Amino acid sequence: MAVSMCVVLGACGCGPEKSQENTSTAAKPSQASASVRPEEPSASPRTETPSAEPTGDESAPRTKEGAIQRYEQYLHAVGREDINTVCEVAGPAAKQAEDQGFGPCTSTFVVTFQMISPAQKKALRTATVDPKRVDAVTPAQVEIPTDAIRASVTFSESELGSSTLEYQKGNWYITD
């Protein structure tokens, strides 16, 4: 799990300083060629089945609760290996990682799904976030530490990492 979050979000050094970019393109994975390719057919991007959960096409409340709901959507998508939702919610951070040479989200995250244990994936499908541990830095920026995640498996900082979500263009996006 550490690799999935760190490679795409943490290791890129992504931060709020670039979060003001136009997310209409950042929320959509680039079509550039990937530097990392999945080896197994089961790890190919999933586009045939849309997510049952709402995505960025719908507006979310600009509240701490709205950010928590969006992050839970992201965690559940990681657990289901729903690449479309993962890349949409993590769009700004994924775009920054891609700009730094990590490849498009649809390639890098599919590979990282293989590094998450089945038990961790199952736990993420129903994970929740403890609102008492979430820090609303500003009305448009929320920090969610790893210890705020409630799941049947405990995740350490090195396995999952903390996330920053920012409200942009009517929804919450992971920016760091």
Side-chain angles (χ1 to χ4, degrees), residues 116-124 152-153 155:
I116 303 169
S117 76
Q120 289 173 319
K121 288 177 192 173
K122 184 176 180 181
L124 287 171
S152 60
V153 172
F155 292 94

Side-chain angles (χ1 to χ4, degrees), residues 83-108:
I83 191 68
N84 295 329
T85 300
V86 167
C87 290
E88 196 274 323
V89 175
K95 176 67 173 135
Q96 290 174 15
E98 180 180 348
D99 290 347
Q100 294 178 5
F102 285 94
C105 180
T106 54
S107 296
T108 56

Side-chain angles (χ1 to χ4, degrees), residues 40-58:
E40 298 176 30
S42 63
S44 62
R46 296 177 182 171
T47 57
E48 68 278 357
T49 306
S51 171
E53 295 186 47
T55 62
D57 295 338
E58 299 175 25

Side-chain angles (χ1 to χ4, degrees), residues 3-151:
V3 177
S4 68
M5 294 302 289
C6 292
V7 168
V8 177
L9 305 176
C12 70
C14 304
E17 67 276 1
K18 292 187 181 179
S19 64
Q20 300 305 320
E21 294 181 87
N22 181 348
T23 58
S24 65
T25 57
K28 295 178 181 131
S30 170
Q31 298 301 316
S33 63
S35 60
V36 179
R37 301 259 182 227
E39 296 175 358
E40 298 176 30
S42 63
S44 62
R46 296 177 182 171
T47 57
E48 68 278 357
T49 306
S51 171
E53 295 186 47
T55 62
D57 295 338
E58 299 175 25
S59 164
R62 188 178 176 178
T63 61
K64 180 171 124 174
E65 292 76 21
I68 290 169
Q69 183 179 35
R70 179 77 156 163
Y71 191 66
E72 288 175 349
Q73 174 189 358
Y74 168 80
L75 294 172
H76 300 169
V78 171
R80 290 189 319 271
E81 296 186 24
D82 177 354
I83 191 68
N84 295 329
T85 300
V86 167
C87 290
E88 196 274 323
V89 175
K95 176 67 173 135
Q96 290 174 15
E98 180 180 348
D99 290 347
Q100 294 178 5
F102 285 94
C105 180
T106 54
S107 296
T108 56
F109 232 100
V110 168
V111 171
T112 60
F113 285 150
Q114 297 173 3
M115 298 177 205
I116 303 169
S117 76
Q120 289 173 319
K121 288 177 192 173
K122 184 176 180 181
L124 287 171
R125 288 181 204 130
T126 57
T128 59
V129 175
D130 181 353
K132 294 175 185 168
R133 297 187 179 268
V134 174
D135 183 24
V137 179
T138 69
Q141 185 180 44
V142 172
E143 305 258 341
I144 301 179
T146 305
D147 65 357
I149 298 167
R150 299 291 176 244

